[in-house]
Amino acid sequence: MLTDQQLLRIPGPTPIPPSVQRAMSQPMIGHRAPETKDLLQRIKPKLKPIFGTAQDVVVMTGSGTAGLETAVVNAVKPDDEVLVIVTGSFGERFVNICEAYQINTHRYDSEWGKTVTPESVKEYLNKYPKVTAVFATFCETSTGVLNPIAELAEVVHNNSEALFIVDGVSCVGGVETKMDEWGIDLLVTGSQKAMMLPGGLTFVAASERAWNVIEENEHPRFYFDFKKYRNQLANNSTPFTPAGSLLFGLEQVLQLVEEEGLEQVFTRHTQMMQMTRAAFKALDIPLLTNDQAASPTVTAIKPFDFQVKDLRNVLYKEFGMVVAGGQQHMKDEIFRIGHMGYCSPADVLQTISVIELGLHKIGKQVELGKGTQAAQEIYLGY
Amino acid sequence: MLTDQQLLRIPGPTPIPPSVQRAMSQPMIGHRAPETKDLLQRIKPKLKPIFGTAQDVVVMTGSGTAGLETAVVNAVKPDDEVLVIVTGSFGERFVNICEAYQINTHRYDSEWGKTVTPESVKEYLNKYPKVTAVFATFCETSTGVLNPIAELAEVVHNNSEALFIVDGVSCVGGVETKMDEWGIDLLVTGSQKAMMLPGGLTFVAASERAWNVIEENEHPRFYFDFKKYRNQLANNSTPFTPAGSLLFGLEQVLQLVEEEGLEQVFTRHTQMMQMTRAAFKALDIPLLTNDQAASPTVTAIKPFDFQVKDLRNVLYKEFGMVVAGGQQHMKDEIFRIGHMGYCSPADVLQTISVIELGLHKIGKQVELGKGTQAAQEIYLGY
């Protein structure tokens, strides 16, 4: 086996493009130097179309969870009541953050692998008319579900005064996102998913409506004080020393997105999703989600006649390929393939053809090449 | 002028060693993969001698301020009274964080450029007998003062039950630190100073005494919940997706420290401080601090017969050399030279000889080579 190869096909962290690696290796510069101001000035306008917003997108140093907590402590006042739409373990994260701050938190749980309907969210809003914020997950990484954020935003705004706050960590950058048009009030993403970077940065933007709440909010906060970041970013700066090498990499990521074209980035992700789904359908191996609920960035597969562990082991040992298992109660029930960020249709074909071999090796009857062929046909249909 | 050269001589961010750059360019791996567990397991024991502790040193994703805030929200209960020793703008940072959380905060301000005495701290402790935590800055970056942390710890523990919490951001890794022996209860540092990395990581360790408080403390927190980090680190893991490339770099930094020998790292920093100070003394340009208060990592110079701005401009324009100005009321009054992390006696000689030329260029009468010679003599005396 070729030892120096790892085929990282989990839903983040994702592989890093070589030119981004090189950009991250630039010599360090002062965080208050004109070069850093210039860098932030160049980055700023290029993040906006990815979020689909006219607002500045703030770049913070931290894990995605730091961004989610920033949304909570800035937009929710200590005595507020909130509703969290939980479609998997990352919906749960919002619940955990809110509960850590003793916020009165209602939850609407959907079955894992299913999305939620605007009608049912409306029922919850009627049941809890005092909620000041509704939290949702755009792509639920634990199941590969893409929630209908535009529709959810509409039902929230038509039936309440609540802010609509979205965790976009595992899809923003790979999936069309129209923060302003849809009415998302706070949107968060991380660097290590569709943004093609290592972990360490989190991105947050807020609507005018959210800013009205943030400015009045006296919830104690310092590092997560969003106003500090906005005010500094207005001057192309950051309140605290940023993760310099990741900012260098970010500029190159935005360059790559510009070269490919943002629309084509989105199309590529949809194509990779369809290729992956077609392959498993052709192999008669069940997908966790239906086509309508599927995310362009991650696909969950729920086999009934082989052990997920066995497949993951053979993929790793024979090919250096890493796919993710499930989380919580789905730990050994599903496996998840990430197809986001620095990932191409060619990579998807490799993933599928290697998985076919892996299935064969663990003794599952598969017609070799059948899944690959189905994926190829999807590719040709584009 | 050679355009692709920047001589970064500010007190952080600092230059990155080439082997650390290369380490950071390794392909990404899964944050829950065995490779990440192995990496954290290898890193863990090597951080302890740098802190001088038998406790695990937690690695968090965030700026140094995130680490300082972690210390505050874990070690201070909402109704507590605290004392902050303020010797410059980073002492101020602790005040700002505590005040953001409405903590009853007393401050003991010393003149910028001076350190504090244990006797005066004792007076404050007598004046405020209810304080449960005393905050201090090890190296005050804004002035180049190294506070006498061992003595301060002693006076705090001999005169109160308070925890002693230390910001070591701009010196730990370059200056001998004996957290356990001295009695530091919480110690914080950042990645972009003596630790030879880009910004993005912060390191925090806590004493047994601090853990007793942290475990009982109900101060709301989620991302900064220190227990989560300790419990995950016990299993060689992290609660949230870490900054992967910086962890790769960290391992190589620890390797470099091991190769040089930690004692020699400390000696090198002291040597660089003495070389720098001897040079400005030889040139008759006043230093901000006296020898007893001087930090091995950063030196502040307070000229009386030339403009700091003029010197900084010519250094940058002619040589690509960046030295820092002052902060707050000392903005244009001092300039600060960082000599920490990836910085050698040879780099100090370059810095001094270039500054001599810069002084000449802005019309100050200097005997060229005189400062350099003084630094060389210090070097030869080692």
Side-chain angles (χ1 to χ4, degrees):
Chain A
M1 178 188 155
L2 183 65
T3 54
D4 189 16
Q5 182 178 51
Q6 186 172 114
L7 303 169
L8 191 62
R9 292 293 162 232
I10 62 174
T14 60
I16 310 298
S19 66
V20 175
Q21 293 279 28
R22 290 194 298 274
M24 291 194 298
S25 300
Q26 287 170 81
M28 211 38 53
I29 54 177
H31 60 307
R32 300 287 175 239
E35 291 88 344
T36 298
K37 280 192 185 296
D38 293 348
L39 177 64
L40 286 166
Q41 191 170 27
R42 291 194 302 271
I43 285 171
K44 222 162 51 167
K46 295 186 180 180
L47 280 172
K48 293 180 183 196
I50 291 174
F51 270 56
T53 185
Q55 303 290 332
D56 277 349
V57 179
V58 156
V59 184
M60 299 173 65
T61 307
S63 306
T65 298
L68 302 181
E69 185 163 335
T70 297
V72 171
V73 298
N74 283 274
V76 182
K77 297 179 181 172
D79 301 327
D80 283 354
E81 243 174 77
V82 304
L83 172 64
V84 183
I85 299 168
V86 181
T87 58
S89 73
F90 285 90
E92 196 93 32
R93 175 85 28 113
F94 265 139
V95 172
N96 294 338
I97 297 172
C98 289
E99 288 184 347
Y101 287 99
Q102 280 113 38
I103 292 162
N104 188 351
T105 308
H106 306 291
R107 52 190 290 167
Y108 163 22
D109 281 87
S110 80
E111 192 187 330
W112 281 39
K114 296 234 158 64
T115 180
V116 290
T117 61
E119 297 71 43
S120 53
V121 171
K122 188 175 169 182
E123 281 171 30
Y124 274 81
L125 289 169
N126 291 337
K127 196 168 161 193
Y128 304 113
K130 285 192 280 183
V131 301
T132 59
V134 177
F135 292 89
T137 315
F138 197 168
C139 170
E140 174 52 63
T141 324
S142 62
T143 61
V145 159
L146 193 81
N147 284 301
I149 291 300
E151 295 167 50
L152 296 181
E154 194 181 358
V155 77
V156 167
H157 295 312
N158 285 346
N159 293 278
S160 77
E161 297 293 311
L163 296 178
F164 186 55
I165 301 174
V166 174
D167 167 359
V169 171
S170 65
C171 68
V172 169
V175 172
E176 180 168 72
T177 306
K178 298 190 166 180
M179 180 176 160
D180 293 353
E181 189 181 317
W182 297 348
I184 300 174
D185 291 303
L186 272 149
L187 180 62
V188 179
T189 195
S191 51
Q192 78 280 12
K193 309 271 186 177
M195 297 296 287
M196 303 194 276
L197 285 166
L201 297 181
T202 179
F203 305 86
V204 191
S207 69
E208 284 298 336
R209 182 166 40 202
W211 276 116
N212 292 336
V213 175
I214 292 168
E215 276 166 9
E216 308 268 292
N217 191 355
E218 292 181 350
H219 191 121
R221 58 206 192 264
F222 189 82
Y223 188 72
F224 294 147
D225 185 348
F226 202 43
K227 282 178 293 184
K228 285 195 182 82
Y229 290 87
R230 178 193 56 180
N231 296 343
Q232 289 291 328
L233 189 57
N235 298 316
N236 300 312
S237 189
T238 57
F240 311 113
T241 311
S245 59
L246 298 179
L247 288 186
F248 290 145
L250 175 58
E251 183 177 29
Q252 178 57 21
V253 164
L254 296 170
Q255 174 67 26
L256 292 177
V257 169
E258 204 167 271
E259 284 169 16
E260 182 175 1
L262 189 55
E263 286 306 315
Q264 173 53 27
V265 170
F266 298 151
T267 302
R268 172 168 53 84
H269 281 81
T270 305
Q271 190 178 18
M272 295 193 296
M273 165 188 76
Q274 290 178 341
M275 289 171 71
T276 305
R277 295 179 67 82
F280 287 96
K281 285 177 189 172
L283 294 169
D284 279 325
I285 301 173
L287 299 161
L288 177 65
T289 62
N290 66 29
D291 289 350
Q292 286 70 43
S295 171
T297 55
V298 49
T299 297
I301 296 103
K302 191 169 187 295
F304 59 94
D305 59 355
F306 62 88
Q307 294 297 316
V308 162
K309 267 190 181 169
D310 296 342
L311 177 65
R312 292 180 63 215
N313 280 342
V314 75
L315 292 180
Y316 183 66
K317 285 189 185 142
E318 293 220 17
F319 305 98
M321 178 173 285
V322 191
V323 299
Q327 295 185 315
Q328 297 183 21
H329 65 278
M330 288 208 159
K331 194 170 185 310
D332 293 320
E333 275 186 41
I334 61 172
F335 63 98
R336 295 171 298 148
I337 300 170
H339 34 75
M340 69 177 105
Y342 187 59
C343 186
S344 67
D347 293 325
V348 172
L349 292 176
Q350 179 186 50
T351 305
I352 290 164
S353 51
V354 166
I355 287 176
E356 286 177 338
L357 275 182
L359 290 168
H360 178 85
K361 291 267 179 177
I362 64 169
K364 170 153 168 71
Q365 296 283 339
V366 280
E367 192 181 323
L368 291 175
K370 195 173 176 190
T372 306
Q373 188 193 3
Q376 288 165 326
E377 279 163 7
I378 293 286
Y379 181 82
L380 292 175
Y382 261 77
Chain B
M1 179 187 156
L2 183 64
T3 55
D4 189 16
Q5 183 179 50
Q6 186 172 114
L7 303 169
L8 190 63
R9 291 293 162 232
I10 62 174
T14 59
I16 310 299
S19 66
V20 175
Q21 292 280 27
R22 289 194 298 275
M24 291 194 297
S25 300
Q26 288 171 80
M28 211 37 54
I29 54 177
H31 59 307
R32 300 289 175 236
E35 291 89 344
T36 298
K37 280 192 184 294
D38 293 348
L39 177 64
L40 286 167
Q41 191 169 26
R42 292 193 302 272
I43 285 171
K44 222 162 53 168
K46 296 186 179 180
L47 280 171
K48 293 180 183 195
I50 291 174
F51 271 55
T53 184
Q55 303 289 334
D56 277 348
V57 179
V58 156
V59 185
M60 298 172 65
T61 308
S63 306
T65 299
L68 302 181
E69 185 163 335
T70 297
V72 171
V73 298
N74 283 275
V76 183
K77 296 178 182 174
D79 300 327
D80 284 354
E81 244 175 77
V82 304
L83 172 65
V84 183
I85 300 167
V86 181
T87 58
S89 73
F90 284 91
E92 196 92 33
R93 174 87 27 117
F94 265 140
V95 172
N96 294 338
I97 297 172
C98 289
E99 288 184 347
Y101 287 98
Q102 280 111 41
I103 292 162
N104 189 350
T105 309
H106 306 291
R107 52 190 290 166
Y108 162 23
D109 281 86
S110 79
E111 192 187 331
W112 281 40
K114 298 233 158 64
T115 180
V116 291
T117 61
E119 297 70 43
S120 52
V121 170
K122 187 175 171 182
E123 282 171 32
Y124 274 82
L125 289 168
N126 290 338
K127 196 167 159 196
Y128 304 114
K130 285 192 282 185
V131 302
T132 59
V134 177
F135 292 89
T137 314
F138 197 168
C139 170
E140 174 53 64
T141 325
S142 61
T143 61
V145 158
L146 193 80
N147 284 301
I149 290 300
E151 294 168 51
L152 296 181
E154 195 181 358
V155 77
V156 168
H157 294 311
N158 285 347
N159 293 277
S160 76
E161 297 293 312
L163 296 178
F164 186 55
I165 301 174
V166 174
D167 168 358
V169 171
S170 64
C171 68
V172 169
V175 172
E176 181 169 70
T177 306
K178 297 189 166 179
M179 179 174 161
D180 293 352
E181 190 181 318
W182 297 347
I184 300 174
D185 291 303
L186 271 149
L187 179 61
V188 179
T189 195
S191 50
Q192 78 281 11
K193 309 271 187 178
M195 296 297 287
M196 303 194 277
L197 285 168
L201 296 180
T202 179
F203 306 86
V204 190
S207 70
E208 284 297 335
R209 182 166 39 202
W211 275 117
N212 292 336
V213 175
I214 292 168
E215 275 165 8
E216 307 267 291
N217 190 354
E218 291 181 351
H219 191 119
R221 58 207 193 264
F222 188 81
Y223 189 73
F224 294 146
D225 185 348
F226 202 43
K227 283 178 293 184
K228 286 195 183 83
Y229 290 86
R230 177 192 58 179
N231 296 343
Q232 290 291 328
L233 189 57
N235 298 315
N236 300 313
S237 188
T238 58
F240 311 113
T241 311
S245 59
L246 298 178
L247 288 186
F248 290 144
L250 175 59
E251 183 176 29
Q252 178 57 21
V253 163
L254 296 169
Q255 175 67 26
L256 292 177
V257 169
E258 204 166 271
E259 284 169 14
E260 183 175 1
L262 189 55
E263 286 305 316
Q264 173 53 27
V265 170
F266 299 150
T267 303
R268 171 168 52 84
H269 281 81
T270 304
Q271 191 178 17
M272 295 192 295
M273 165 188 75
Q274 290 178 342
M275 289 171 70
T276 305
R277 295 178 66 83
F280 286 95
K281 286 177 188 172
L283 294 169
D284 279 326
I285 301 174
L287 298 161
L288 177 66
T289 61
N290 65 29
D291 288 351
Q292 287 69 43
S295 171
T297 55
V298 49
T299 298
I301 296 103
K302 192 169 185 296
F304 59 92
D305 59 355
F306 61 88
Q307 294 298 317
V308 162
K309 266 191 182 170
D310 295 343
L311 176 65
R312 291 181 63 215
N313 279 340
V314 74
L315 292 179
Y316 183 66
K317 285 189 185 141
E318 292 219 19
F319 305 98
M321 179 175 283
V322 190
V323 300
Q327 293 185 316
Q328 297 183 22
H329 66 278
M330 289 210 159
K331 193 171 185 311
D332 292 321
E333 275 186 39
I334 61 172
F335 63 98
R336 295 172 298 148
I337 300 171
H339 34 75
M340 69 177 104
Y342 187 60
C343 187
S344 67
D347 293 325
V348 171
L349 292 176
Q350 178 186 52
T351 305
I352 289 163
S353 52
V354 166
I355 288 176
E356 287 177 338
L357 275 183
L359 290 167
H360 179 84
K361 291 268 177 176
I362 64 170
K364 169 152 169 73
Q365 296 283 340
V366 282
E367 191 181 323
L368 291 176
K370 195 173 177 189
T372 305
Q373 187 193 4
Q376 287 165 328
E377 280 164 5
I378 293 285
Y379 182 82
L380 291 175
Y382 261 78

